[in-house]
Amino acid sequence: MKQLIISIGREYGSGGHEIGRKLAEKLNLDFYDRNLLDEIAHIKNSDAELLKKYDEAPKKRFFSRTVRGYSNSPEENVAELQFALLKHKAADEDSFVIVGRCTDEIFKDLANYISIFVTADEDKKVERVMKYRNMSEKQARKTIERHDKTRRAYHDHFCKAKWGLASTYDLCVNSSVLGIDGTVDFLVNYIQNFCNDNK
């Protein structure tokens, strides 16, 4: 197979980002997430940290306007810059794993593309956020709720299909069942079978 693009959508605390990174390592593919903005900042000669403030965030409706195709929303502009760079990489027949960035919509018509959504049991998500963010259980639950609300609003603004809806993706997986590494191994097997069937 000449090209393979794998997108990972994820609930906050599900380990989807770590799963995506480990999957890329096992398959020897490039891995993209917020690091796309480092590349964009280099191309545009701008500040990557400033761009990252608006990463995967919905535009503020009451403060945003679009005139003649140009938006004054930094959230929308940062998103469109990422979409354009990803489309350019796909057109160049690059292979990669990408976390988030509405790629279930951007690449849905590509033949050599797999979309995956990672969820997890609520208690496992809370446990993970408490551990990695050094939070209380109450703080962790609020953080999960806030992040997932933001991701849903961002995704659903740019995509026709709904965030986290099973029919939107090729595969939905609960990382609590097999754990992070077990989920990665499961996905590697799934992807290898996909590649064999699409030679």
Side-chain angles (χ1 to χ4, degrees), residues 8-112:
I8 308 286
R10 74 285 186 218
E11 292 178 342
Y12 193 78
S14 67
H17 185 273
E18 184 179 358
I19 288 166
R21 180 178 53 77
K22 289 187 172 185
L23 190 59
E25 288 174 2
K26 288 218 170 191
L27 297 172
N28 197 28
L29 298 175
D30 288 331
F31 176 70
Y32 298 117
D33 57 355
R34 297 184 85 192
N35 60 359
L36 276 176
L37 293 173
D38 294 321
E39 194 170 337
I40 290 169
H42 179 73
I43 294 168
K44 300 287 186 181
N45 194 27
S46 56
D47 183 358
E49 292 309 310
L50 179 62
L51 296 178
K52 287 174 183 177
K53 284 174 57 179
Y54 305 108
D55 184 36
E56 283 200 303
K59 75 174 185 177
K60 296 175 175 63
R61 291 185 182 180
F62 297 111
F63 300 99
S64 302
R65 289 179 45 187
T66 301
V67 179
R68 296 179 185 167
Y70 294 96
S71 173
N72 71 342
S73 164
E75 296 87 357
E76 194 160 36
N77 290 329
V78 166
E80 293 294 350
L81 285 169
Q82 290 183 87
F83 301 160
L85 180 57
L86 287 166
K87 288 174 183 176
H88 178 75
K89 290 179 181 296
D92 283 347
E93 297 191 347
D94 291 359
S95 293
F96 52 87
V97 175
I98 172 72
V99 172
R101 279 92 201 150
C102 297
T103 42
D104 54 296
E105 179 79 17
I106 296 169
F107 297 135
K108 64 182 180 182
D109 296 324
L110 288 183
N112 299 325

Side-chain angles (χ1 to χ4, degrees), residues 141-157:
R141 290 186 185 279
K142 285 187 175 181
T143 299
I144 291 167
E145 183 180 356
R146 185 178 74 252
H147 277 276
D148 281 350
K149 183 179 179 180
T150 298
R151 285 178 181 171
R152 180 177 289 105
Y154 162 80
H155 178 279
D156 291 356
H157 173 71

Side-chain angles (χ1 to χ4, degrees), residues 122-134:
E122 189 69 19
D123 61 330
K124 294 293 184 183
K125 291 190 292 185
V126 170
E127 183 181 302
R128 183 178 178 84
V129 173
M130 287 173 65
K131 177 181 177 182
Y132 288 101
R133 297 285 303 272
N134 192 28

Side-chain angles (χ1 to χ4, degrees), residues 10-17 19 117-121 124-125 128 172-184 186-187:
R10 74 285 186 218
E11 292 178 342
Y12 193 78
S14 67
H17 185 273
I19 288 166
F117 190 82
V118 182
T119 184
D121 295 344
K124 294 293 184 183
K125 291 190 292 185
R128 183 178 178 84
C172 294
V173 59
N174 183 333
S175 62
S176 303
V177 178
L178 299 175
I180 299 298
D181 291 330
T183 300
V184 172
F186 168 77
L187 292 175

